[in-house]
Amino acid sequence: MASAAEQMAANTSWATLGKAKDLRQRIFFAIGLLIVYRLGTYIPVPGIDGASLREFMSGAAAGLGGMLNMFTGGAISRMGIFALGIMPYISASIIVQLVASMYGPWQNLRKEGELGRRKLNQYTRYGTVFLALVQSYGLAVSLEAGDLATDPGWFFRISTVITLVGGTLFLMWLGEQITARGIGNGTSLIIFVGIIAEVPAHLAQFLSQGRTGTISWPVIIGIMLMMIALVAFVVFMERALRKVHIQYPRRQVGMKVYDGGSSHLPIKVNPANVIPAIFASSLLLLPTTLSTFSGSSTNPIMATILAYFGPGQPLYLLFFTALIIFFTFFYTLNVSFKVDDVADNLKNQNGFIPGIRPGKRTEEYLYYIVTRLTTVGALYLAGVALMPEILRAQLSIPFYFGGTSVLIIVAVTLDTMSQVQSHLVAHQYEGLLERSQLRGKKRGTPKKGPALR
């Protein structure tokens, strides 16, 4: 049976959204910043030979172009100022979270609340600058090696590094502003908008394969049906959860006695959401980018990297699967659902799981449940993320289609809609409270009689 909040959220409409002024302002603010991001993907890096770049990317679209465009919103194909995208920030977040889970002083920072979180965020920004510097310089050198620069040399390298690092830092700031003053997670929405922007062009290219006879129409219809089924499956898995029964005993506070109650602790089958797929993809993009732009035939080291870790290669698939499984367990147990903190909170609130002692036994029981659910979630994420590679190998689809992009689109949409519903429910509660207060004032106000003269 749905709760009162769920029933209220189900009754929301466009009229309710129109009355929620704060939510409306947040939505418009987020849309405005995302439009700024999309405009920035069309501003080119200075010193790039546009004609050579377009010719090069038309040949690379079947391999690198589709994957990178998915994360950069097409900026890499146009070599825009946002060509690095938000990936250096995501990679820095991975490193900081890994270190914070193992390094003692940083573990203490995580326990200091808001102050410690700000300190770790500052370390993440420093790491973003460092990674962006390294990646932008490598990309500048690779562009020179690929004869895509109009005037190669140190001036081109320095200007490219400054432009790309500035673009990444600006995107990091945009994401933080959307998270704080807009709606949804800013970093995820930036990747989401980049994917959505590339879908029409990829879909038109895919359908054109049917008109030219490269791919038969039964195969095209079958893939479309497969994508619809995949979206439905991802939605089901993202909303699937295990409810752990929680009991609260009867207690006395002062002279008042409160009856005991029961509730449930929801644990998602995939507590890490789409974060592991993004993390794994961000780590695998850099060697592919450098080896492609530098020309693998002229660089034996890059050729070796591309041969073993290029998209579709066995080592790439194995490494990608291992990274997804590792980050799913790491992010779940260290960030999204820390079993020791949950067990301590239940103990402090006098809550317990029937048949399980509070404290250490509760922590062990929750760890047992979470690891089993996370195993299913990790295998589900790996299977969905690897699906496009299987399609490309078996059906020779000439662009990146499926898996990780579907995960990101569905997960970000569900997360953003849940936040919108939370704001609408809060707005409706505020409206009910205001109306109840007005009724109370009207009932309590004595009626004025006729004036005595």
Side-chain angles (χ1 to χ4, degrees):
M1 183 177 180
S3 63
E6 291 173 341
Q7 291 177 358
M8 186 174 292
N11 293 329
T12 55
S13 61
W14 288 107
T16 307
L17 180 61
K19 296 176 183 178
K21 183 179 179 180
D22 178 67
L23 175 60
R24 192 168 64 249
Q25 290 176 347
R26 284 178 171 270
I27 293 175
F28 288 150
F29 180 81
I31 292 176
L33 293 189
L34 292 174
I35 291 175
V36 171
Y37 157 64
R38 288 302 304 160
L39 292 176
T41 60
Y42 289 91
I43 302 175
V45 172
I48 299 294
D49 188 348
S52 299
L53 178 65
R54 286 190 295 271
E55 181 181 354
F56 173 81
M57 290 306 299
S58 64
L64 167 75
M67 180 185 294
L68 287 181
N69 280 334
M70 184 184 70
F71 288 101
T72 62
I76 192 70
S77 63
R78 297 180 287 270
M79 199 48 62
I81 60 175
F82 296 149
L84 291 182
I86 200 70
M87 287 304 156
Y89 177 70
I90 295 176
S91 301
S93 301
I94 298 171
I95 297 172
V96 170
Q97 291 179 11
L98 283 171
V99 175
S101 65
M102 297 179 291
Y103 183 52
W106 286 22
Q107 287 179 344
N108 297 330
L109 285 177
R110 296 175 63 176
K111 299 177 182 178
E112 292 180 3
E114 183 66 20
L115 183 62
R117 188 181 65 84
R118 289 182 180 178
K119 197 71 174 179
L120 291 176
N121 287 341
Q122 195 68 22
Y123 293 152
T124 303
R125 295 187 182 98
Y126 294 150
T128 302
V129 174
F130 175 75
L131 291 177
L133 284 171
V134 174
Q135 293 184 21
S136 59
Y137 180 78
L139 189 56
V141 174
S142 300
L143 289 170
E144 287 184 347
D147 294 329
L148 300 178
T150 56
D151 187 17
W154 279 105
F155 180 78
F156 169 76
R157 296 180 186 180
I158 293 174
S159 62
T160 301
V161 168
I162 293 175
T163 304
L164 294 179
V165 172
T168 296
L169 295 182
F170 183 72
L171 280 185
M172 180 181 67
W173 178 81
L174 277 185
E176 292 177 350
Q177 293 301 310
I178 293 174
T179 302
R181 301 171 58 186
I183 193 74
N185 182 279
T187 303
S188 300
L189 281 175
I190 288 174
I191 301 176
F192 170 83
V193 169
I195 296 173
I196 293 298
E198 294 299 310
V199 165
H202 285 173
L203 185 60
Q205 182 184 0
F206 180 60
L207 294 178
S208 67
Q209 305 289 325
R211 291 196 299 269
T212 59
T214 305
I215 302 177
S216 63
W217 281 104
V219 173
I220 293 178
I221 295 174
I223 292 177
M224 291 296 183
L225 294 176
M226 186 186 304
M227 293 304 298
I228 295 174
L230 179 65
V231 171
F233 175 68
V234 172
V235 171
F236 172 78
M237 292 297 295
E238 290 298 323
R239 297 186 66 89
L241 52 87
R242 162 80 184 273
K243 295 182 179 180
V244 179
H245 185 70
I246 305 295
Q247 188 71 35
Y248 293 95
R250 188 175 183 180
R251 56 195 176 94
Q252 180 175 354
V253 179
M255 299 299 294
K256 293 184 178 180
V257 177
Y258 295 90
D259 292 333
S262 62
S263 181
H264 66 269
L265 177 66
I267 305 176
K268 294 182 63 176
V269 173
N270 179 31
N273 213 317
V274 75
I275 298 297
I278 297 178
F279 281 2
S281 300
S282 66
L283 292 180
L284 292 174
L285 283 179
L286 180 60
T288 308
T289 306
L290 298 181
S291 59
T292 302
F293 278 108
S294 61
S296 57
S297 59
T298 60
N299 193 321
I301 298 178
M302 291 298 179
T304 303
I305 293 176
L306 187 62
Y308 287 100
F309 290 97
Q313 301 300 323
L315 279 181
Y316 172 87
L317 299 178
L318 182 62
F319 195 55
F320 193 29
T321 304
L323 284 177
I324 289 178
I325 294 175
F326 168 75
F327 283 125
T328 302
F329 278 92
F330 170 79
Y331 194 83
T332 298
L333 298 176
N334 291 276
V335 180
S336 61
F337 195 94
K338 300 182 67 176
V339 292
D340 52 347
D341 290 348
V342 175
D344 290 340
N345 291 335
L346 285 176
K347 186 177 180 180
N348 295 334
Q349 297 172 6
N350 294 324
F352 64 93
I353 301 174
I356 307 295
R357 287 174 176 260
K360 189 66 176 177
R361 293 289 299 171
T362 299
E363 180 181 342
E364 294 174 353
Y365 179 75
L366 290 177
Y367 180 81
Y368 172 73
I369 293 178
V370 171
T371 50
R372 292 177 65 191
L373 292 177
T374 306
T375 301
V376 177
L379 295 177
Y380 139 73
L381 283 178
V384 174
L386 291 177
M387 190 198 71
E389 303 297 336
I390 299 174
L391 290 178
R392 289 179 62 188
Q394 298 296 326
L395 303 177
S396 300
I397 297 177
F399 66 94
Y400 200 79
F401 191 76
T404 306
S405 57
V406 173
L407 283 172
I408 295 173
I409 289 173
V410 173
V412 175
T413 301
L414 292 177
D415 179 64
T416 305
M417 290 305 299
S418 66
Q419 291 194 29
V420 170
Q421 283 192 349
S422 299
H423 281 280
L424 289 176
V425 170
H427 175 75
Q428 287 183 308
Y429 274 130
E430 291 175 0
L432 290 174
L433 290 175
E434 290 176 359
R435 287 195 293 270
S436 64
Q437 290 175 359
L438 289 175
R439 292 195 196 99
K441 289 180 180 180
K442 290 179 181 179
R443 292 174 182 175
T445 303
K447 295 182 179 180
K448 294 183 179 181
L452 299 175
R453 296 181 180 178

